[in-house]
Amino acid sequence: MTTLTDPPKGNFRLSQLIYDTRYRSITIQVIAMILVLLGIFWLVNNTIQNLSALGKDFDFGFLSQPAGYDINQRLIEYTSQSSHGRAAIVGILNTLLIAFLGCILATILGVVVGVLRLSKNWIVSRMMAVYVEGFRNVPLLLWIIAIFALMTEGMSQPRDFKVGGDASMILGDSVAVTNRGVYVPGVVLENGLFGLAVLNWLLILAVLIASIVCIRLLSRRADHIQESTGVRPTTWYQQLALLVIPVGLVLFFMGAQLQFPYLKGFNFTDGVHLRNSLIALWLALSLYTGAFIAEIVRSGILAISKGQSEAAAALGLRPSRTMNLVILPQAMRVIIPPLISQFLNLTKNSSLAIAVGYMDVRSTLGGITINQTGRELEGILLMAAFYLVLSLVISGVMNVYNNRTQLQER
Amino acid sequence: MKKSVFLGAMTVAGLAAGAAAAGTLDDVKARGTLNCGVTTGLVGFAAPDANGVWDGFDVGVCRAVAAAVLGDPMAVEFVPTTGQTRFTALASGEIDLLARNTTWTFSRDVDLKFEFVGVNYYDGQGFMVPRELGVSSAQDLDGATVCIQTGTTTELNLADYFRSNDISYEPVPIETNAEAQQQYLAGACDVYTTDASGLAATRATFENPGDHVLLPEIVSKEPLGPLVRHGDNEWADVARWTLNALITAEELGVTSANIEELSAGTNNPEINRLLGTEGELGAMLGLEADWAKNALMAGGNYGELFEANIGESTPIGLARGLNAMWTEGGLIYSPPFR
């Protein structure tokens, strides 16, 4: 009975998997998938086999063991008795610090140089070209080491600053440039609200952010008034007051004092010590990445048609205002996407810190900890995960900004 | 389906082949050279000379092992390693033997899975400062900036010493001895700390060695010795007994000058066993009968190596001290060749 009622349908043959275009793509995908899975399986299996051949296990327990080594630059409390995990966090914070400082300085440098390279002044534009080509075409590692060597070999030792020595502090005895780094005055809070210094500084930061939000609201209100009446109220003194007074009050009540570095024993004490390694890495990363950003900015500006600046000139805008109000806002659309990858480059290049002994995550977790505990696989995986997350966060944030600067098309 | 089964089978076969690692001794013999990990350059212990030929006390151990295994002291491929790269290089099989003034510690032996084959230099961590600082004791170093090689035991000892004495310091981490030397001479650090032998060797290369003093404190025990991977006992035996042969030769008075004469046969059965004219010691190790003779011909016995590279007649000028023979009040001692 069934043979009678079944509709006639083509038999599926195995050869259709290859010769029938309906199935071929699926076949190829399945085979590729199997190959990829086999590859992963082989890698994992190989790792497990080799680990057991070496008699090693896979265990993150070492992170809670005492580290036993000291770190010179630490943004949080850390002693040699702290755990390897905490040493890794100290390193992570140092990486974040250098990435943050580097991105800011590189952007400022890049924008200024990119604009100046288009200057009609021949000397200025040529000088900027020399900077860009010089830094872009010499490996970053050489710049890091060159700046570090310049600092170490070229500056005076702290003991030369003694009375009768041949070196002296600059800027009214407040800044000491030595071959161990630069000592600048620091701010200390005599009677903070919280026991932990970090919390006090976070409070100040919160007040500062609140002030900036208020300033934004104020200038938006000024915009509204200007749009409705045509006259913009003068707000600069209100803005300045909003910026300075709340933070100033908080600092005053917490007993903020400027602490000047002074020579004591072998080294300068008090103040803030910007180590050679930090300065060399920061400057080299910023100068190097800044050269690339300058080219990106130049390309962004050149992408805006000449008609825009001519129209702005016809409206009577001065060249500086043309640049700030007409050209750069439009150029941002072209600039931001490649800028993101420059920020990512800078962040990852900061792992070259090892060359000058800057204690970033590569030097603590990926260097000393791995060496003392023999946990290469775990350490490298953790480090890779950290750089991956950091890069994804940076590109995520920058993408949000990118979406906001895009043309709003309707 | 069949294809994936086939691929799977191939994968398993490949893994099995990879896991069944041959013995290091056979590998070295098949390769014809010994891959030996040394420092990136520490005069007296391991450094290339003017002709680019590696020379030094640790290099002597490498050459002795190569001579014992391959019969040729020059059949060594030297791999310069830093404090941070040395263990990875050994664990990964890039080198067969690490002779890089490495301290024998519990965790390196047990946890890092290495096998120390003996001690070729009993050392301790010291401090070097410029004479003009006027420092006479490590206790006076409060607040000093200290250059320290990362990835070493000295780094941990330094932290322990300053913490237990409740004095502060600023560590400047550096990678190699050459870098440390440059930083120290530029005055970027007040103190350089490492093994006392390393300090002496480094100071010997300074323009004015007299301007720098070693502080009297020796803050740690640093038994330095060659090491191999854990788990390959045949290879560990070869390295261990080559080192012991160098030591025993000094004890028995076998030198590179009289070895030809002695290897013709003597009345002392231990010398005969050592030089392979009696017994089967070489065959037990899987080597030629004259393995120890070859090792000794490479650079002489332990005492000769010491005197030629780091002894009092060299610019480094280290006294034997703890590294004298046990018969002369030192700690250098070898189990008997029997």
Side-chain angles (χ1 to χ4, degrees), chain A residues 34-35 38 42 45-46 49 54-56 67-72 80-81 148 152-153 157 159 179-180 266-267 273 275 355 357 359 362 367-368 371-376, chain B residues 4 7 11 15 19 83-84 87-88 91 111-113 132-133 135 140-145 150-152 155-156 159 163 169-171 173 179 182-183 186-190:
Chain A
I34 290 174
L35 287 178
L38 273 176
W42 182 80
N45 203 356
N46 192 23
Q49 291 228 352
L54 283 171
K56 287 185 170 181
Y69 59 91
D70 282 303
I71 299 176
N72 48 17
S80 61
Q81 293 304 291
F148 186 69
T152 309
E153 305 281 349
Q157 301 181 28
R159 60 172 176 267
N179 67 349
R180 293 173 192 174
F266 293 98
N267 281 312
H273 181 192
R275 288 175 180 77
M359 298 301 275
R362 163 71 185 80
I368 304 176
N371 204 276
Q372 303 288 9
T373 61
R375 299 282 172 189
E376 293 96 351
Chain B
S4 69
L7 281 171
T11 314
L15 282 173
Q84 290 211 12
F87 295 131
T88 316
D111 190 34
L112 297 188
K113 307 290 180 195
E132 59 173 312
L133 279 185
V135 173
D140 301 339
L141 291 177
D142 191 16
T145 302
T150 61
T152 59
E155 187 172 43
L156 306 180
R163 196 172 61 85
Y169 72 107
E170 155 102 9
E179 241 176 274
Q182 181 218 336
Q183 295 272 310
C189 42
D190 300 303

